[in-house]
């Protein structure tokens, strides 16, 4: 079955609800349903210009849910620079083909008018203090816009008839009944700060959805996949590899329980031609607070997350790696 393109909220709710009911009724009759749970819907929010990293998100959702929706929407609220918004690639036909190959049921590609019928919303979700750190410091208001559209998408795709408030039951290998949420949304670990904020929003505002993190997908040379990589020249791409090298350096020190010596990793990034480092920090994975006590002279212990952002030529890139 090819992915069905829908452009309105009403159409998405009608068609995804009908397919969800049909798949729940037919569950078990198709061998492809063996790993899926009946009555579950997976949402993959994206801004389009999809690549293999998005395909991994989509395939993960397809493997775990009876119906999958991928949204493709370039959200103007999270762009502070109008030229950056205009420059963001739109590749609808290619996106639809990638999602069809991954087995996604619906591609929800609304217009700005459909998502914001009254213009820019007067009421928005605020990311709070965590939204002003790192990417938020460099892009003021970015995470308020991102959380606002994620909140709208989570509500828009939520299964009808209260399915999101129910649980899908299945048996584990021991024959015990286990319960899992009926609604899941899938986000890549590459956007670590966004993922942390989405999880906080869902927990703080009692959204009936399970947030699933999917590990960062990289090219063979180590560069994290990004829709913006297409704007890098060959030389700029070579320089950009210093970001993943710095992350791997810190991970190797953490795995050996050595002092991380962040200053040397920062110097490594600064040494690459054409790379302008914004930040390279070791933070708590839940609060994003800096783990200063383990960064320089003392052996690393516990868990942490390394966040990095840099401008490479005209392109701003972010990456991260978990420690511990």
């Amino acid at each position: 079955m090819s992915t069905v393109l829908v452009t309105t909220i009403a159409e998405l709710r009608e068609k995804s609800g009908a397919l969800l009911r049909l798949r729940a009724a037919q569950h078990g009759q198709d061998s492809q349903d063996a790993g899926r749970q009946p009555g579950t819907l997976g949402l993959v929010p994206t801004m389009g210009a999809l690549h293999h990293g998005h395909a991994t998100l989509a395939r993960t959702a397809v493997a775990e849910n009876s119906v999958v929706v991928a949204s493709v929407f370039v959200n103007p609220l999270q762009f502070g620079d109008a030229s950056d918004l205009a420059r963001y690639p739109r590749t609808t036909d290619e996106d639809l083909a990638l999602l069809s190959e991954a087995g996604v049921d619906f591609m929800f590609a609304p217009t700005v008018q459909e998502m914001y019928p009254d213009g820019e919303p007067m009421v928005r979700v605020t990311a709070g203090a965590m939204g002003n750190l790192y990417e938020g410091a460099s892009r003021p208001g970015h995470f308020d816009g991102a959380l606002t559209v994620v909140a709208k998408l989570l509500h828009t795709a939520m299964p009808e008839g209260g399915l999101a408030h129910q649980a899908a039951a299945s048996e584990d290998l021991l024959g015990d009944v286990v319960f899992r949420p009926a609604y899941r949304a899938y986000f890549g670990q590459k956007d670590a700060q966004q993922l942390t904020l989405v999880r906080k929003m869902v927990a703080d505002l009692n959204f009936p959805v399970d947030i699933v993190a999917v590990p960062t997908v990289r090219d063979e040379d180590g560069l994290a996949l990004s829709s913006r990589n297409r704007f890098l020249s060959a030389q700029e791409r070579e320089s950009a590899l210093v970001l993943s090298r710095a992350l791997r350096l810190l991970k190797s020190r953490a795995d050996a329980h050595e002092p991380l010596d962040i200053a040397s990793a920062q110097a490594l990034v600064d040494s690459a031609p054409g790379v302008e480092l914004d930040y390279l920090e070791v933070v708590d994975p839940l609060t994003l607070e800096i783990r200063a006590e383990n960064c320089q002279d003392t052996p690393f212990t516990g868990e942490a997350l390394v966040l990095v952002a840099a401008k490479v030529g005209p392109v701003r890139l972010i990456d991260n790696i978990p420690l511990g």
Side-chain angles (χ1 to χ4, degrees), residues 178-239:
V178 292
F179 294 90
R180 295 181 173 88
Y183 185 29
R184 305 181 182 95
Y186 293 77
F187 292 85
Q189 177 64 42
K190 187 181 82 71
D191 296 303
Q193 187 174 5
Q194 174 180 273
L195 173 61
T196 299
L197 287 166
V198 168
R199 281 176 162 160
K200 284 295 295 178
M201 176 184 74
V202 164
D204 290 350
L205 302 183
N206 301 105
F207 279 60
V209 61
D210 187 24
I211 302 300
V212 181
V214 177
T216 301
V217 179
R218 301 180 181 277
D219 274 329
E220 291 183 1
D221 57 11
L223 186 66
L225 296 187
S226 169
S227 300
R228 298 176 186 271
N229 289 353
R230 68 187 68 201
F231 298 126
L232 295 169
S233 68
Q235 181 57 54
E236 289 163 350
R237 182 186 173 86
E238 183 65 28
S239 293

Side-chain angles (χ1 to χ4, degrees), residues 116-185:
Y116 305 116
D118 298 320
E120 289 198 9
M122 295 179 63
V123 178
R124 308 188 188 195
V125 177
T126 176
M130 273 204 301
N132 295 324
L133 302 172
Y134 314 119
E135 284 305 287
S138 298
R139 305 168 67 185
H142 167 74
F143 286 116
D144 290 357
L147 290 184
T148 298
V149 78
V150 168
K152 288 175 70 70
L153 290 169
L154 289 175
H155 285 305
T156 296
M158 186 178 296
E160 65 173 19
L163 275 171
H165 299 276
Q166 300 173 4
S170 61
E171 290 188 350
D172 64 15
L173 294 177
L174 299 178
D176 296 321
V177 175
V178 292
F179 294 90
R180 295 181 173 88
Y183 185 29
R184 305 181 182 95

